[in-house]
mmCIF file of all heavy atoms in Angstrom:
data_model
loop_
_atom_site.group_PDB
_atom_site.id
_atom_site.type_symbol
_atom_site.label_atom_id
_atom_site.label_comp_id
_atom_site.label_asym_id
_atom_site.label_seq_id
_atom_site.Cartn_x
_atom_site.Cartn_y
_atom_site.Cartn_z
ATOM 1 N N HIS I 241 -2.291 20.298 24.431
ATOM 2 C CA HIS I 241 -3.632 20.797 24.067
ATOM 3 C C HIS I 241 -4.785 20.061 24.751
ATOM 4 O O HIS I 241 -4.604 18.979 25.291
ATOM 5 C CB HIS I 241 -3.820 20.839 22.547
ATOM 6 C CG HIS I 241 -3.326 19.634 21.805
ATOM 7 N ND1 HIS I 241 -4.033 18.481 21.723
ATOM 8 C CD2 HIS I 241 -2.174 19.422 21.111
ATOM 9 C CE1 HIS I 241 -3.360 17.609 20.994
ATOM 10 N NE2 HIS I 241 -2.213 18.137 20.616
ATOM 11 N N ASP I 245 -2.910 14.362 22.638
ATOM 12 C CA ASP I 245 -2.444 13.260 21.794
ATOM 13 C C ASP I 245 -1.104 12.789 22.368
ATOM 14 O O ASP I 245 -0.683 13.260 23.431
ATOM 15 C CB ASP I 245 -2.309 13.713 20.334
ATOM 16 C CG ASP I 245 -1.377 14.896 20.179
ATOM 17 O OD1 ASP I 245 -0.756 15.318 21.174
ATOM 18 O OD2 ASP I 245 -1.260 15.405 19.048
ATOM 19 N N ASP I 247 1.954 13.331 21.369
ATOM 20 C CA ASP I 247 2.961 14.394 21.428
ATOM 21 C C ASP I 247 2.746 15.276 22.663
ATOM 22 O O ASP I 247 3.701 15.647 23.352
ATOM 23 C CB ASP I 247 2.898 15.223 20.131
ATOM 24 C CG ASP I 247 4.085 16.167 19.962
ATOM 25 O OD1 ASP I 247 5.153 15.889 20.535
ATOM 26 O OD2 ASP I 247 3.937 17.174 19.237
ATOM 27 N N SER I 248 1.477 15.585 22.955
ATOM 28 C CA SER I 248 1.152 16.429 24.116
ATOM 29 C C SER I 248 1.519 15.759 25.440
ATOM 30 O O SER I 248 2.062 16.392 26.343
ATOM 31 C CB SER I 248 -0.345 16.752 24.139
ATOM 32 O OG SER I 248 -0.630 17.811 23.263
ATOM 33 N N ASP I 305 3.120 21.754 22.342
ATOM 34 C CA ASP I 305 2.305 21.234 21.239
ATOM 35 C C ASP I 305 1.045 22.056 20.957
ATOM 36 O O ASP I 305 0.151 21.581 20.279
ATOM 37 C CB ASP I 305 1.954 19.749 21.495
ATOM 38 C CG ASP I 305 1.521 19.015 20.230
ATOM 39 O OD1 ASP I 305 2.076 19.326 19.156
ATOM 40 O OD2 ASP I 305 0.635 18.142 20.317
ATOM 41 N N ASP I 326 6.523 24.359 20.467
ATOM 42 C CA ASP I 326 5.427 23.987 19.555
ATOM 43 C C ASP I 326 5.876 23.905 18.106
ATOM 44 O O ASP I 326 6.912 24.458 17.714
ATOM 45 C CB ASP I 326 4.288 25.008 19.699
ATOM 46 C CG ASP I 326 2.990 24.512 19.057
ATOM 47 O OD1 ASP I 326 2.865 23.303 18.824
ATOM 48 O OD2 ASP I 326 2.109 25.346 18.780
ATOM 49 N N HIS I 327 5.061 23.228 17.303
ATOM 50 C CA HIS I 327 5.349 23.091 15.870
ATOM 51 C C HIS I 327 4.114 23.405 15.043
ATOM 52 O O HIS I 327 3.925 22.852 13.964
ATOM 53 C CB HIS I 327 5.899 21.685 15.569
ATOM 54 C CG HIS I 327 4.921 20.563 15.799
ATOM 55 N ND1 HIS I 327 4.659 19.606 14.829
ATOM 56 C CD2 HIS I 327 4.138 20.236 16.846
ATOM 57 C CE1 HIS I 327 3.772 18.735 15.298
ATOM 58 N NE2 HIS I 327 3.447 19.089 16.518
ATOM 59 N N HIS I 328 3.236 24.268 15.581
ATOM 60 C CA HIS I 328 2.035 24.678 14.838
ATOM 61 C C HIS I 328 2.154 26.135 14.386
ATOM 62 O O HIS I 328 3.122 26.812 14.719
ATOM 63 C CB HIS I 328 0.795 24.519 15.714
ATOM 64 C CG HIS I 328 0.455 23.094 15.997
ATOM 65 N ND1 HIS I 328 0.955 22.429 17.102
ATOM 66 C CD2 HIS I 328 -0.298 22.195 15.327
ATOM 67 C CE1 HIS I 328 0.500 21.181 17.106
ATOM 68 N NE2 HIS I 328 -0.252 21.009 16.034
ATOM 69 N N GLY I 347 8.001 18.141 12.314
ATOM 70 C CA GLY I 347 6.842 17.263 12.365
ATOM 71 C C GLY I 347 6.289 16.992 13.744
ATOM 72 O O GLY I 347 5.183 16.466 13.879
ATOM 73 N N CYS I 348 7.038 17.343 14.802
ATOM 74 C CA CYS I 348 6.605 16.949 16.142
ATOM 75 C C CYS I 348 7.281 17.816 17.206
ATOM 76 O O CYS I 348 8.463 18.180 17.056
ATOM 77 C CB CYS I 348 6.989 15.481 16.347
ATOM 78 S SG CYS I 348 6.464 14.792 17.930
ATOM 79 N N SER I 349 6.554 18.117 18.263
ATOM 80 C CA SER I 349 7.142 18.901 19.363
ATOM 81 C C SER I 349 8.308 18.161 20.009
ATOM 82 O O SER I 349 9.243 18.777 20.522
ATOM 83 C CB SER I 349 6.106 19.189 20.450
ATOM 84 O OG SER I 349 4.998 19.837 19.918
ATOM 85 N N ASN I 350 8.236 16.835 20.008
ATOM 86 C CA ASN I 350 9.309 16.075 20.647
ATOM 87 C C ASN I 350 10.606 16.060 19.832
ATOM 88 O O ASN I 350 11.659 15.741 20.362
ATOM 89 C CB ASN I 350 8.843 14.664 21.018
ATOM 90 C CG ASN I 350 8.157 14.673 22.374
ATOM 91 O OD1 ASN I 350 8.821 14.715 23.408
ATOM 92 N ND2 ASN I 350 6.830 14.713 22.376
ATOM 93 N N ASP I 379 3.164 11.606 15.207
ATOM 94 C CA ASP I 379 2.864 12.886 14.549
ATOM 95 C C ASP I 379 3.236 12.872 13.068
ATOM 96 O O ASP I 379 2.567 13.504 12.250
ATOM 97 C CB ASP I 379 3.613 14.030 15.250
ATOM 98 C CG ASP I 379 2.712 14.778 16.242
ATOM 99 O OD1 ASP I 379 1.629 14.268 16.562
ATOM 100 O OD2 ASP I 379 3.112 15.865 16.700
ATOM 101 N N LYS I 436 -9.661 19.162 17.284
ATOM 102 C CA LYS I 436 -9.126 20.491 17.571
ATOM 103 C C LYS I 436 -10.101 21.563 17.153
ATOM 104 O O LYS I 436 -10.755 21.477 16.131
ATOM 105 C CB LYS I 436 -7.793 20.687 16.857
ATOM 106 C CG LYS I 436 -6.688 19.921 17.546
ATOM 107 C CD LYS I 436 -5.342 20.299 17.039
ATOM 108 C CE LYS I 436 -4.288 19.499 17.781
ATOM 109 N NZ LYS I 436 -3.007 19.569 17.091
ATOM 110 N N LYS I 527 -2.762 20.016 9.965
ATOM 111 C CA LYS I 527 -2.135 21.326 10.162
ATOM 112 C C LYS I 527 -1.597 21.929 8.869
ATOM 113 O O LYS I 527 -1.603 23.119 8.691
ATOM 114 C CB LYS I 527 -1.059 21.253 11.261
ATOM 115 C CG LYS I 527 0.302 20.800 10.860
ATOM 116 C CD LYS I 527 1.383 21.152 11.882
ATOM 117 C CE LYS I 527 1.279 20.459 13.223
ATOM 118 N NZ LYS I 527 1.366 18.996 13.168
HETATM 119 MG MG1 LIG X 830 2.426 17.587 17.783
#
Side-chain angles (χ1 to χ4, degrees):
H241 44 80
D245 57 5
D247 192 25
S248 279
D305 199 35
D326 194 18
H327 66 128
H328 291 91
C348 183
S349 304
N350 275 282
D379 262 13
K436 285 191 180 165
K527 85 163 66 61

